[in-house]
Every structure is written in C-alpha cells, then in structure tokens.
C-alpha cells in the first residue's frame, strides 16, 4: 500500500465548483474583495466569535499585516520561537524589527512561555507565538507577561483553525490572530489565502487598509497609510466558503485518525514522543512524533510505501537567512532536539482505516526490529 504525505486527490470532488468559480469571478470585474470575501469574513467572525475578520492573500501576509497593524516597526524586537516555519522571523525582519528567538517545550515543540520573560528588553514590542502541528502554545502565561510588560500578542494560528483553548477559539487568544489557507492546511484552499481576526477595532481597521494599499474601502485612490497588495480574490473566497461549511467534519475526521495513532502507538512508551493526547479543541493538521532514530524510521516507512515529512529540519537561527539574528545568549537545546527528532506522519480526512492502520503498523514494525 502506498500512502502519500500530501494526498493528490484533495480537490477531486470540488472540480465543478472550482471551474464555475474561476469563470464567474475570474472573468468579471468582481474578482476580489466582493461578496464571497465578505461572506468568508462573516463566517470567520461567527466561527471564532471575533469582532472583526479580514481576509488576505496568504498566511504570511496575515502575519505581516497583523504585526504592522499592531504597531511593530523599525527598531522593535519581537519574541518568536526558534523552532518554527520561517514567516515568524522573516515578516518581523520585513518590518525593520528584530526577531528574538526563544526555546520550545519538549512535548509540544511550541513556544515555552517560561523562556519569554528573560528575553524582554526595553525594545520588545510584541510576542509572536505560533501554534504548530496539533499543539497550541500555552497562552495564559503569555497574556500575563504581555500585560505586565505592555506588549502586544500576535497569535499565529495559521495551522490551528478550529482549535480552542479554555473555550476560546485559536486566533482570539492574543490581541490579533492569523490563519492560512495554503492548499494542504486543514482548510486548504485551491491556492493561497489567509485571514486575520481581532477584537480590537483599531487593529482591524488598520489591517483592512494595509491589505489594500492603505485605502479605506470607501474611496479609491485615497491612500491613508502605506500598505500592500494582500487582497483575497473571489475564486478563493468562494471555494473557502464551501470548505468552511464542512470544516467541523474535516476536524472530526482528522481527530479520529489522530486518536487511533495515539492509542496504538502508546505501547512504545518512551521510545517515541507522541503529541500530548487530547482531541477536544485541537486541529490535527499534522500528527508529529519525536524519535531519536528519526531518519532510520523515516527510511523504513518509505520502504513500506509510507511517506512522511520533516517540519522543520533546522531551527531558524541556524538557517543562513536568519544567522545574523542568532544571539549567543540563545538557549535553544529543546528546539535543536525537536528539529533532529520530529517526524510528521500522514494524516488527512479521507484516509481509510486500512491506511491509518498501515501507518501505525509501520512505526511499530520499525521498533520491533531496532
Ligand atoms: C505557523 C505558520 N505560520 C505562517 C505560515 C504561512 O502561511 P502561508 O503559507 O499561507 O503563507 C505557515 C505556513 O505553513 C505556518 O505553518
């Protein structure tokens, strides 16, 4: 049995809809920021409970626009986790600010709130926690730190759409939150897209202007601030409205597969680190395990036709692009270990039970031989 990491048939059932949307939106002058976008923003306000939702062209732009709207600019420092996807660092740098890297926790591999306060300086402006894999950053201690130091929290919920913590939707656990609709995300679009949610009217107003060249949406060619072209088009929004209507089912299917992985793999004890258990309030976008024999396990699974993925092979300050921002005071041992040990197993909503069993059988078989 061959099990790809990214299934090739994610959009097959949606083919007629995509064709219609391309023709309808792509061939008229109502191709962006019109009814489908407004409906999607409304859907996100309802789904998250946020006062405002602003659709943008990608998760990366969502992070950039949210940071700028929250007041991050040249000379500021922003605390980010060292083990993460690159937008948390690159978008801070794009605004002339400096990313300050902190370590992650051993079991979740996301920002460790206990390591944040020691890196706060008079220049610190924001904390940018990113939820990753199926794990949310523990946000209550971060809110406490932010309150005491007068910092803003930009919450990168790009991969945790639909998750909750203490009954509050991901994206609303800080001052402004971001989502990504990159094709293979839990609510992937047929291309790229992103969303920002916030309860702060001024941040919301600024996001709306920043995504569209600093215009206010009422009068064209009047530019109030310097912005970007980060508009969402109507094709993407029309498709995402269709996905949003079925999103709870998608989350449930992913959680069911994750629960079966956790249940069966638990017999391995401390030979492998599983994501902390828990189905409630989690988006199993990725099922990531940590193995000291990661590369051998990966090769073994591939031999059996099971593709896996490594998010991320190197921590950010060890990447050439961000080397200038590495600091000798960085204590990033847990992040470094996570980059060496992390292995993402395939998980997608239409995976069959036989496929899910084959993935677990493969991991178990590796451990009986090694
Ligand atoms: C945590 C996180 N933030 C931001 C992004 C950027 O999103 P996009 O690919 O839509 O630009 C990603 C993309 O994978 C991500 O995983």
């Amino acid at each position: 049995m061959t099990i790809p990491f990214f299934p090739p048939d994610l959009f097959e059932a949606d083919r007629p809809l995509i064709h219609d949307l391309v023709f309808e939106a792509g061939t008229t002058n109502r191709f962006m920021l019109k009814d489908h976008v407004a409906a999607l923003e409304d859907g996100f306000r309802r789904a998250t409970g946020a006062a405002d939702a602003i659709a943008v062209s990608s998760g990366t732009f969502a992070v950039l626009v949210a940071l700028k709207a929250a007041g991050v600019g040249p000379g500021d420092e922003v605390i980010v986790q060292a083990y993460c996807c690159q937008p948390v660092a690159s978008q801070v740098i794009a605004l002339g600010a400096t990313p300050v890297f902190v370590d992650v926790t051993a079991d979740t591999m996301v920002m460790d709130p206990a390591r944040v306060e020691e890196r706060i300086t008079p220049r610190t402006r924001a904390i940018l926690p990113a939820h990753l894999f199926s794990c949310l950053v523990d946000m209550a201690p971060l809110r406490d730190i932010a309150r005491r130091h007068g910092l803003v929290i930009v919450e990168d919920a790009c991969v945790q759409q639909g998750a909750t913590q203490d009954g509050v939707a991901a994206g609303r656990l800080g001052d402004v939150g971001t989502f990504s609709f990159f094709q293979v995300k839990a609510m992937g679009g047929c291309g790229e897209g992103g969303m920002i949610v916030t309860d702060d009217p001024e941040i919301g107003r600024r996001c709306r202007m920043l995504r569209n060249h600093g215009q206010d949406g009422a009068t064209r060619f009047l530019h109030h601030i310097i912005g970007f072209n980060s508009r969402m088009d109507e094709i993407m929004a029309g498709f995402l409205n269709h996905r949003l209507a079925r999103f709870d089912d998608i989350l449930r299917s992913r959680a069911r597969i994750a629960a079966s992985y956790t249940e069966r793999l638990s017999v391995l004890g401390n030979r492998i680190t599983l994501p902390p258990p828990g189905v409630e309030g989690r988006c199993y976008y990725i099922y990531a395990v940590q193995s000291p024999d990661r590369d051998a396990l990966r090769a073994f699974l591939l031999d059996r036709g099971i593709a896996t993925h490594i998010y991320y092979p190197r921590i950010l300050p060890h990447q050439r692009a961000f080397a200038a921002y590495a600091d000798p005071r960085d204590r990033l041992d847990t992040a470094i270990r996570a980059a060496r040990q992390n292995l993402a197993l395939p998980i997608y909503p239409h995976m069959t039970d036989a496929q899910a069993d084959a993935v677990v059988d493969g991991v178990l078989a590796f451990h009986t031989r090694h």
Side-chain angles (χ1 to χ4, degrees):
M1 183 184 299
T2 302
I3 305 177
F5 188 78
F6 297 117
D9 54 351
L10 269 177
F11 299 95
E12 208 40 58
D14 306 313
R15 188 186 283 260
L17 172 74
I18 293 171
H19 285 180
D20 284 354
L21 281 168
V22 169
F23 191 80
E24 182 196 299
T27 61
T28 68
N29 66 355
R30 298 186 63 76
F31 66 93
M32 54 92 176
L33 297 186
K34 293 289 188 293
D35 297 351
H36 289 314
V37 170
L40 184 66
E41 292 177 339
D42 201 40
F44 263 74
R45 279 191 284 273
R46 273 185 280 116
T48 60
D52 204 358
I54 303 99
V56 291
S57 56
S58 70
T60 301
F61 256 112
V63 172
L64 179 72
V65 167
L67 282 167
K68 192 167 163 78
V72 172
D76 290 337
E77 290 176 357
V78 178
I79 295 180
V80 306
Q81 63 219 47
Y83 181 55
C84 200
C85 61
Q86 61 80 30
V88 297
S90 65
Q91 301 312 292
V92 168
I93 295 165
L95 291 173
T98 301
V100 174
F101 297 106
V102 297
D103 211 348
V104 298
T105 69
D107 56 345
T108 63
M109 299 182 282
V110 293
M111 182 179 281
D112 184 350
R115 304 301 291 277
V116 168
E117 208 154 8
E118 65 202 28
R119 300 309 304 275
I120 291 175
T121 74
R123 290 173 58 199
T124 309
R125 168 87 202 172
I127 310 173
L128 173 46
H131 312 309
L132 292 179
F133 321 120
S134 62
C135 295
L136 277 77
V137 177
D138 186 7
M139 295 293 288
L142 284 190
R143 284 194 295 271
D144 180 51
I145 293 169
R147 195 168 40 245
R148 284 190 284 107
H149 292 271
L151 307 178
V152 68
I153 298 182
V154 177
E155 179 196 357
D156 183 337
C158 278
V159 304
Q160 277 301 308
Q161 186 186 333
T164 58
Q165 192 173 78
D166 303 326
V168 177
R172 289 188 65 221
L173 297 161
D175 297 289
V176 53
T178 63
F179 298 102
S180 163
F181 306 123
F182 186 74
Q183 265 193 1
V184 294
K185 296 283 192 291
M187 200 178 95
C190 48
E192 309 232 29
M195 185 69 73
I196 301 168
V197 294
T198 184
D199 289 337
D200 182 319
E202 182 53 21
I203 291 180
R205 194 181 71 84
R206 284 175 58 80
C207 286
R208 224 162 258 289
M209 289 201 291
L210 285 168
R211 76 169 169 189
N212 195 9
H213 297 305
Q215 300 169 103
D216 59 13
T219 314
R220 277 190 83 185
F221 304 129
L222 282 188
H223 305 276
H224 304 280
I225 53 177
I226 295 173
F228 314 100
N229 175 357
S230 175
R231 304 178 291 235
M232 178 179 281
D233 67 63
E234 287 284 291
I235 300 169
M236 190 57 54
F239 180 79
L240 289 169
N241 282 321
H242 164 75
R243 273 279 198 266
L244 187 60
R246 290 155 189 78
F247 190 57
D248 286 348
D249 291 340
I250 292 174
L251 282 186
R252 260 193 298 276
S253 303
R254 286 180 175 274
R256 189 179 61 77
I257 298 161
S260 79
Y261 283 2
T262 300
E263 192 189 328
R264 291 192 59 209
L265 291 175
S266 300
V267 297
L268 294 173
N270 61 11
R271 299 180 70 194
I272 196 166
T273 305
L274 304 177
V279 162
E280 207 56 44
R282 304 268 287 275
C283 167
Y284 281 91
Y285 157 60
I286 296 290
Y287 190 95
V289 302
Q290 295 177 74
S291 164
D293 295 322
R294 190 261 311 273
D295 295 338
L297 171 60
R298 185 169 203 222
F300 181 87
L301 291 173
L302 194 58
D303 250 11
R304 293 169 75 111
I306 300 164
T308 55
H309 207 54
I310 294 176
Y311 297 89
Y312 303 89
R314 196 171 287 185
I315 66 168
L316 293 173
H318 291 181
Q319 305 256 8
R320 210 156 102 204
F322 305 114
Y325 299 90
D327 188 306
R329 286 170 301 174
D330 290 342
R331 289 164 48 220
L332 306 172
D333 298 345
T334 313
I336 292 167
R337 193 180 62 224
R340 284 200 195 114
Q341 298 198 350
N342 192 356
L343 188 67
L345 305 179
I347 183 168
Y348 30 90
H350 55 298
M351 197 172 214
T352 63
D353 288 347
Q355 286 176 314
D357 284 344
V359 172
V360 176
D361 291 344
V363 178
L364 294 176
F366 173 81
H367 287 90
T368 56
R369 288 177 196 198
H370 292 78

